């Protein structure tokens, strides 16, 4: 029996960014991918998380949901139930953002927390399977809002954890280029893709991200560009060749900081110690040994 695969999708639902873009068009393309993934193998599974700048939410499967799909002619009931539940969860989450000033005050989205929660979900799903076939997991991040320098350390911690557990991270960027996701996809063996025309999203999802990472090696997919693996500083978010690193939490800074902004560790800058030469009080001896 073939291996089953768990596809965990992380969707950026930052309401400030989606105010100028079509969320419904992206959701329709995502539903096509999820339905196709389930059709490939009856043992395949899907999970969808939505993350904002205020938290991470499980959109599907939701254990507390009571939504029942309609059984129509030529349509599988499970697909309709998943589509209805996912759209309803996203709608309720967006409409729940009643205070727009709160989201405007908090910059970016909690992508690092979303990655860590997705890895925990994958670990729990693997433990539930006690017999063969084994379960392979991979993550797909759909991102729109720009990178936030405060999220660099949580994202990289999640990336190295995914690499250790052999979980690939695929990235679809709808807005500005994301250096963090470029490094995440390159380190874990996934695919990074920047899409400018959102109407073509469904074509890229079906032609590239529907198949597993192992199968992509035999297909002609867009070649990855050169990735900048330099670390980003916590204070300005710029890429550094050399910098100052906190010995407690490994946060990178472009200049010395007496107090780490991440863990509040205190440091002292070591200065060069000047050597003081004391003048001798004894008499200097001559060459013949006489004073």
């Amino acid at each position: 029996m073939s291996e089953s695969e768990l596809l965990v999708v992380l969707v950026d639902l930052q309401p400030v960014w989606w105010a100028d873009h079509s969320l419904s068009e992206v959701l329709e393309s995502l539903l096509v991918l999820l339905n196709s993934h389930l059709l490939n193998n009856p043992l395949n599974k899907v999970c969808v998380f939505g993350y904002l700048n205020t938290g991470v939410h499980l959109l599907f499967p939701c254990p507390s949901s009571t939504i029942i799909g309609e059984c129509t002619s030529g349509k599988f009931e499970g697909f309709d139930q998943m589509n209805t539940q996912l759209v309803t969860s996203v709608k309720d989450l967006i409409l729940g953002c009643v205070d727009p000033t709160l989201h405007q005050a908090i910059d970016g989205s909690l992508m690092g927390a979303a990655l860590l929660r997705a890895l925990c979900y994958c670990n729990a799903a693997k433990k539930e399977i006690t017999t063969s076939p084994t379960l392979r997991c991979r993550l797909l991040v759909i991102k729109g809002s720009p990178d936030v320098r405060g999220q660099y350390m949580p994202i990289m911690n999640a990336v190295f954890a995914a690499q250790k557990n052999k979980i690939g991270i695929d990235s679809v960027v709808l807005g500005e280029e994301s250096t963090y996701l470029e490094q995440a996809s390159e380190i874990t063996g996934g695919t990074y893709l920047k899409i400018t025309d959102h109407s073509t999203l469904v074509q890229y999802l079906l032609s590239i991200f529907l198949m597993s990472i192992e199968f992509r090696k035999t297909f002609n997919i867009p070649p990855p560009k050169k990735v900048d693996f330099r670390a980003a500083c916590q204070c300005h978010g710029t890429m550094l060749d050399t910098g100052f690193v906190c010995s407690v939490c490994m946060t990178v800074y472009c200049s010395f900081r007496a107090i780490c902004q991440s863990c509040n560790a205190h440091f002292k800058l070591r200065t060069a110690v000047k050597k003081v030469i004391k003048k001798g009080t004894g008499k200097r001896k001559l060459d013949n040994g006489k004073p």
Side-chain angles (χ1 to χ4, degrees), residues 170-186:
D170 295 323
S171 306
V172 177
V173 178
L174 306 177
E176 301 177 2
E177 293 281 0
S178 175
T179 306
Y180 301 163
L181 286 181
E182 284 182 356
Q183 296 182 8
S185 298
E186 181 69 21

Side-chain angles (χ1 to χ4, degrees), residues 3-281:
E3 293 183 345
S4 58
E5 185 178 59
L6 171 62
L7 175 61
V8 182
V9 183
L10 308 178
V11 185
D12 185 2
L13 297 178
Q14 221 279 0
V16 177
W17 190 86
W18 285 110
D20 300 328
H21 302 83
S22 176
L23 178 59
S24 60
E25 185 178 15
V26 175
L27 285 180
E28 291 177 358
S29 302
L30 176 60
L31 291 175
V32 174
L33 172 67
L34 297 179
N35 293 338
S36 302
H37 177 74
L38 295 177
L39 280 173
N40 279 343
N41 190 337
L43 299 177
N44 284 351
K45 300 179 181 181
V46 295
C47 175
V48 182
F49 286 96
Y51 64 96
L52 304 88
N53 50 2
T54 56
V56 182
H57 305 270
L58 178 62
L59 304 179
F60 180 85
C62 185
S64 60
S65 176
T66 58
I67 298 176
I68 300 177
E70 299 179 359
C71 184
T72 57
S73 177
K75 188 175 184 179
F76 181 53
E77 181 180 357
F79 290 167
D80 188 77
Q81 182 178 359
M82 180 188 66
N83 298 347
T84 305
Q85 180 179 340
L86 182 58
V87 173
T88 304
S89 300
V90 173
K91 181 179 178 181
D92 295 341
L93 185 59
I94 296 298
L95 293 179
C97 304
V98 294
D99 189 3
T101 58
L102 175 63
H103 295 274
Q104 292 177 357
I106 304 176
D107 190 17
S109 299
L110 299 177
M111 185 171 61
L115 289 172
L116 293 173
R117 187 169 178 183
L119 293 177
C120 293
Y121 186 91
C122 293
N123 187 35
K126 289 182 178 180
K127 290 183 178 180
E128 292 178 357
I129 299 179
T130 57
T131 59
S132 60
T134 59
L135 180 66
R136 292 182 290 106
C137 303
R138 61 186 174 100
L139 309 183
L140 172 62
V141 182
I142 301 179
K143 185 174 181 297
S145 59
D147 289 336
V148 183
R149 61 176 181 266
Q151 287 289 309
Y152 179 74
M153 291 304 298
I155 291 175
M156 296 311 298
N157 290 335
V159 168
F160 292 128
Q163 182 190 30
K164 184 177 181 180
N165 290 274
K166 298 181 180 180
I167 298 177
I169 300 178
D170 295 323
S171 306
V172 177
V173 178
L174 306 177
E176 301 177 2
E177 293 281 0
S178 175
T179 306
Y180 301 163
L181 286 181
E182 284 182 356
Q183 296 182 8
S185 298
E186 181 69 21
I187 292 174
T188 58
T191 302
Y192 174 87
L193 186 63
K194 171 72 168 63
I195 298 178
T196 55
D197 187 4
H198 297 178
S199 62
T200 62
L201 176 61
V202 64
Q203 302 178 17
Y204 287 105
L205 292 179
L206 294 179
S207 60
I208 299 177
F209 300 103
L210 177 59
M211 54 183 146
S212 62
I213 297 177
E214 292 76 11
F215 288 153
R216 295 176 202 166
K217 300 177 182 179
T218 60
F219 286 84
N220 187 17
I221 63 175
K225 66 177 185 178
K226 186 177 180 181
V227 181
D228 189 0
F229 284 103
R230 293 180 299 172
C233 68
Q234 174 76 9
C235 44
H236 302 93
T238 56
M239 311 304 291
L240 301 176
D241 294 320
T242 57
F244 294 82
V245 182
C246 175
S247 59
V248 178
C249 64
M250 305 305 293
T251 301
V252 181
Y253 297 97
C254 58
S255 59
F256 173 76
R257 298 297 178 100
I259 302 177
C260 178
Q261 297 178 358
S262 300
C263 64
N264 294 326
H266 292 66
F267 301 96
K268 293 182 179 180
L269 181 62
R270 294 183 178 180
T271 58
V273 179
K274 295 182 178 179
K275 295 182 179 180
V276 179
I277 302 176
K278 297 182 179 180
K279 295 182 179 180
T281 56

